Short mmCIF file of all heavy atoms in Angstrom, two decimals:
data_model
loop_
_atom_site.label_atom_id
_atom_site.label_comp_id
_atom_site.label_asym_id
_atom_site.label_seq_id
_atom_site.Cartn_x
_atom_site.Cartn_y
_atom_site.Cartn_z
N ASN A 342 39.80 110.74 38.27
CA ASN A 342 39.70 110.50 39.72
C ASN A 342 41.04 110.79 40.40
O ASN A 342 41.07 111.37 41.50
CB ASN A 342 39.29 109.06 40.00
CG ASN A 342 37.82 108.83 39.68
OD1 ASN A 342 37.06 109.81 39.55
ND2 ASN A 342 37.42 107.59 39.52
N LEU A 343 42.12 110.39 39.76
CA LEU A 343 43.44 110.66 40.35
C LEU A 343 43.69 112.16 40.45
O LEU A 343 44.17 112.66 41.46
CB LEU A 343 44.55 110.02 39.51
CG LEU A 343 44.68 108.49 39.58
CD1 LEU A 343 45.75 108.01 38.61
CD2 LEU A 343 45.04 108.05 41.00
N PHE A 344 43.35 112.88 39.39
CA PHE A 344 43.57 114.33 39.38
C PHE A 344 42.76 115.00 40.49
O PHE A 344 43.27 115.80 41.27
CB PHE A 344 43.17 114.96 38.04
CG PHE A 344 44.00 114.48 36.87
CD1 PHE A 344 43.45 114.39 35.60
CD2 PHE A 344 45.34 114.15 37.05
CE1 PHE A 344 44.22 113.96 34.53
CE2 PHE A 344 46.12 113.72 35.98
CZ PHE A 344 45.56 113.62 34.71
N VAL A 345 41.50 114.64 40.56
CA VAL A 345 40.61 115.29 41.54
C VAL A 345 41.09 114.98 42.96
O VAL A 345 41.12 115.86 43.82
CB VAL A 345 39.14 114.84 41.32
CG1 VAL A 345 38.27 115.32 42.47
CG2 VAL A 345 38.62 115.39 39.99
N ALA A 346 41.51 113.73 43.19
CA ALA A 346 41.97 113.37 44.53
C ALA A 346 43.21 114.17 44.91
O ALA A 346 43.33 114.67 46.04
CB ALA A 346 42.27 111.87 44.60
N GLU A 347 44.13 114.33 43.95
CA GLU A 347 45.35 115.08 44.23
C GLU A 347 45.05 116.56 44.46
O GLU A 347 45.63 117.20 45.35
CB GLU A 347 46.36 114.88 43.09
CG GLU A 347 47.69 115.62 43.24
CD GLU A 347 48.48 115.25 44.48
OE1 GLU A 347 48.25 114.16 45.05
OE2 GLU A 347 49.32 116.08 44.91
N ILE A 348 44.13 117.10 43.67
CA ILE A 348 43.76 118.52 43.85
C ILE A 348 43.12 118.71 45.23
O ILE A 348 43.44 119.64 45.96
CB ILE A 348 42.79 118.97 42.73
CG1 ILE A 348 43.55 119.03 41.40
CG2 ILE A 348 42.17 120.33 43.05
CD1 ILE A 348 42.66 119.11 40.17
N GLU A 349 42.26 117.77 45.58
CA GLU A 349 41.60 117.85 46.89
C GLU A 349 42.63 117.80 48.02
O GLU A 349 42.56 118.56 48.98
CB GLU A 349 40.64 116.67 47.03
CG GLU A 349 39.33 117.04 47.67
CD GLU A 349 38.34 115.90 47.50
OE1 GLU A 349 38.44 114.95 48.29
OE2 GLU A 349 37.49 115.97 46.58
N ARG A 350 43.60 116.91 47.85
CA ARG A 350 44.64 116.78 48.87
C ARG A 350 45.38 118.11 49.05
O ARG A 350 45.68 118.53 50.15
CB ARG A 350 45.63 115.68 48.46
CG ARG A 350 46.46 115.10 49.60
CD ARG A 350 47.46 114.08 49.10
NE ARG A 350 48.45 114.67 48.20
CZ ARG A 350 49.49 115.41 48.60
NH1 ARG A 350 49.68 115.64 49.88
NH2 ARG A 350 50.33 115.92 47.73
N ARG A 351 45.65 118.77 47.90
CA ARG A 351 46.39 120.04 47.99
C ARG A 351 45.55 121.18 48.53
O ARG A 351 46.08 122.18 48.99
CB ARG A 351 46.91 120.43 46.61
CG ARG A 351 48.07 119.57 46.19
CD ARG A 351 48.42 119.79 44.76
NE ARG A 351 49.39 118.80 44.36
CZ ARG A 351 50.54 119.08 43.74
NH1 ARG A 351 50.82 120.31 43.42
NH2 ARG A 351 51.37 118.13 43.44
N MET A 352 44.25 121.03 48.44
CA MET A 352 43.37 122.12 48.89
C MET A 352 43.03 122.01 50.37
O MET A 352 42.48 122.94 50.94
CB MET A 352 42.08 122.14 48.07
CG MET A 352 42.29 122.60 46.63
SD MET A 352 42.83 124.32 46.51
CE MET A 352 41.27 125.16 46.81
N THR A 353 43.31 120.85 50.98
CA THR A 353 43.00 120.75 52.42
C THR A 353 44.16 121.30 53.23
O THR A 353 45.32 121.09 52.89
CB THR A 353 42.75 119.29 52.87
OG1 THR A 353 43.71 118.46 52.24
CG2 THR A 353 41.37 118.81 52.54
N PRO A 354 43.87 122.05 54.31
CA PRO A 354 44.94 122.63 55.13
C PRO A 354 45.87 121.55 55.67
O PRO A 354 45.43 120.44 55.96
CB PRO A 354 44.17 123.28 56.28
CG PRO A 354 42.79 123.49 55.78
CD PRO A 354 42.53 122.38 54.81
N HIS A 355 47.13 121.87 55.77
CA HIS A 355 48.10 120.92 56.30
C HIS A 355 47.89 120.70 57.80
O HIS A 355 48.05 119.60 58.30
CB HIS A 355 49.53 121.43 56.08
CG HIS A 355 49.93 121.42 54.64
ND1 HIS A 355 49.57 120.42 53.78
CD2 HIS A 355 50.65 122.29 53.90
CE1 HIS A 355 50.05 120.66 52.58
NE2 HIS A 355 50.71 121.81 52.62
N LEU A 356 47.58 121.78 58.51
CA LEU A 356 47.32 121.64 59.94
C LEU A 356 45.87 121.23 60.12
O LEU A 356 44.96 121.98 59.75
CB LEU A 356 47.59 122.95 60.68
CG LEU A 356 47.45 122.91 62.20
CD1 LEU A 356 48.44 121.94 62.82
CD2 LEU A 356 47.62 124.30 62.80
N LYS A 357 45.67 120.02 60.61
CA LYS A 357 44.32 119.48 60.70
C LYS A 357 43.93 119.23 62.14
O LYS A 357 44.75 118.85 62.96
CB LYS A 357 44.26 118.12 59.99
CG LYS A 357 44.43 118.14 58.51
CD LYS A 357 44.25 116.70 58.01
CE LYS A 357 44.28 116.60 56.51
NZ LYS A 357 45.61 116.77 55.92
N ARG A 358 42.67 119.35 62.36
CA ARG A 358 42.11 118.87 63.61
C ARG A 358 42.17 117.34 63.58
O ARG A 358 42.00 116.74 62.52
CB ARG A 358 40.66 119.33 63.65
CG ARG A 358 39.86 118.67 64.69
CD ARG A 358 38.41 119.00 64.52
NE ARG A 358 37.68 118.06 65.34
CZ ARG A 358 36.38 117.96 65.36
NH1 ARG A 358 35.65 118.73 64.60
NH2 ARG A 358 35.80 117.10 66.15
N ILE A 359 42.43 116.70 64.71
CA ILE A 359 42.41 115.23 64.75
C ILE A 359 41.63 114.74 65.97
O ILE A 359 41.34 115.53 66.87
CB ILE A 359 43.84 114.64 64.82
CG1 ILE A 359 44.52 115.08 66.10
CG2 ILE A 359 44.69 115.00 63.63
CD1 ILE A 359 45.30 113.97 66.72
N PHE A 360 41.33 113.46 65.97
CA PHE A 360 40.77 112.84 67.18
C PHE A 360 41.92 112.16 67.91
O PHE A 360 42.61 111.31 67.33
CB PHE A 360 39.70 111.82 66.80
CG PHE A 360 38.44 112.44 66.30
CD1 PHE A 360 38.19 112.53 64.93
CD2 PHE A 360 37.49 112.95 67.17
CE1 PHE A 360 37.03 113.12 64.45
CE2 PHE A 360 36.33 113.54 66.71
CZ PHE A 360 36.09 113.62 65.35
N ASN A 361 42.12 112.51 69.16
CA ASN A 361 43.20 111.94 69.96
C ASN A 361 42.68 110.74 70.74
O ASN A 361 42.04 110.89 71.77
CB ASN A 361 43.75 113.01 70.90
CG ASN A 361 44.83 112.47 71.84
OD1 ASN A 361 45.26 111.33 71.72
ND2 ASN A 361 45.26 113.31 72.78
N GLY A 362 42.99 109.55 70.23
CA GLY A 362 42.58 108.33 70.94
C GLY A 362 43.77 107.68 71.63
O GLY A 362 43.74 106.49 71.92
N THR A 363 44.82 108.47 71.88
CA THR A 363 46.02 107.90 72.51
C THR A 363 45.90 107.81 74.02
O THR A 363 46.65 107.09 74.66
CB THR A 363 47.27 108.76 72.20
OG1 THR A 363 47.12 110.04 72.84
CG2 THR A 363 47.49 108.95 70.71
N GLY A 364 44.99 108.59 74.59
CA GLY A 364 44.88 108.63 76.05
C GLY A 364 45.95 109.47 76.71
O GLY A 364 45.98 109.59 77.93
N ILE A 365 46.85 110.05 75.91
CA ILE A 365 47.85 110.96 76.48
C ILE A 365 47.28 112.38 76.40
O ILE A 365 47.05 112.90 75.31
CB ILE A 365 49.18 110.87 75.71
CG1 ILE A 365 49.72 109.43 75.82
CG2 ILE A 365 50.20 111.88 76.25
CD1 ILE A 365 50.88 109.14 74.90
N VAL A 366 47.03 112.96 77.57
CA VAL A 366 46.28 114.22 77.61
C VAL A 366 47.11 115.37 77.04
O VAL A 366 46.66 116.11 76.17
CB VAL A 366 45.81 114.53 79.05
CG1 VAL A 366 45.06 115.85 79.09
CG2 VAL A 366 44.93 113.39 79.59
N ILE A 367 48.34 115.52 77.55
CA ILE A 367 49.19 116.61 77.06
C ILE A 367 50.19 115.99 76.09
O ILE A 367 51.31 115.65 76.46
CB ILE A 367 49.92 117.32 78.23
CG1 ILE A 367 48.90 117.75 79.30
CG2 ILE A 367 50.71 118.52 77.73
CD1 ILE A 367 49.55 118.26 80.58
N HIS A 368 49.76 115.81 74.84
CA HIS A 368 50.55 115.10 73.83
C HIS A 368 51.25 116.14 72.96
O HIS A 368 50.60 116.82 72.17
CB HIS A 368 49.61 114.22 73.01
CG HIS A 368 50.31 113.16 72.21
ND1 HIS A 368 51.36 113.46 71.36
CD2 HIS A 368 50.12 111.82 72.14
CE1 HIS A 368 51.76 112.33 70.80
NE2 HIS A 368 51.04 111.33 71.26
N THR A 369 52.57 116.26 73.13
CA THR A 369 53.27 117.34 72.43
C THR A 369 53.12 117.24 70.92
O THR A 369 52.93 118.25 70.23
CB THR A 369 54.76 117.35 72.83
OG1 THR A 369 54.83 117.66 74.22
CG2 THR A 369 55.55 118.42 72.09
N ASN A 370 53.12 116.02 70.37
CA ASN A 370 52.99 115.87 68.92
C ASN A 370 51.58 116.20 68.42
O ASN A 370 51.38 116.46 67.24
CB ASN A 370 53.34 114.44 68.47
CG ASN A 370 54.76 114.06 68.88
OD1 ASN A 370 55.03 112.91 69.15
ND2 ASN A 370 55.66 115.04 68.95
N LEU A 371 50.64 116.14 69.32
CA LEU A 371 49.25 116.39 68.91
C LEU A 371 48.75 117.74 69.43
O LEU A 371 47.54 117.96 69.56
CB LEU A 371 48.34 115.25 69.40
CG LEU A 371 48.74 113.82 68.98
CD1 LEU A 371 47.71 112.80 69.46
CD2 LEU A 371 48.90 113.71 67.46
#
Side-chain angles (χ1 to χ4, degrees):
N342 287 344
L343 287 175
F344 296 149
V345 170
E347 179 59 22
I348 290 165
E349 221 168 81
R350 200 183 63 77
R351 286 170 188 230
M352 290 295 283
T353 42
H355 291 321
L356 184 62
K357 293 183 175 73
R358 167 189 166 186
I359 63 139
F360 289 98
N361 176 6
T363 66
I365 299 169
V366 179
I367 307 171
H368 196 308
T369 296
N370 302 148
L371 305 184

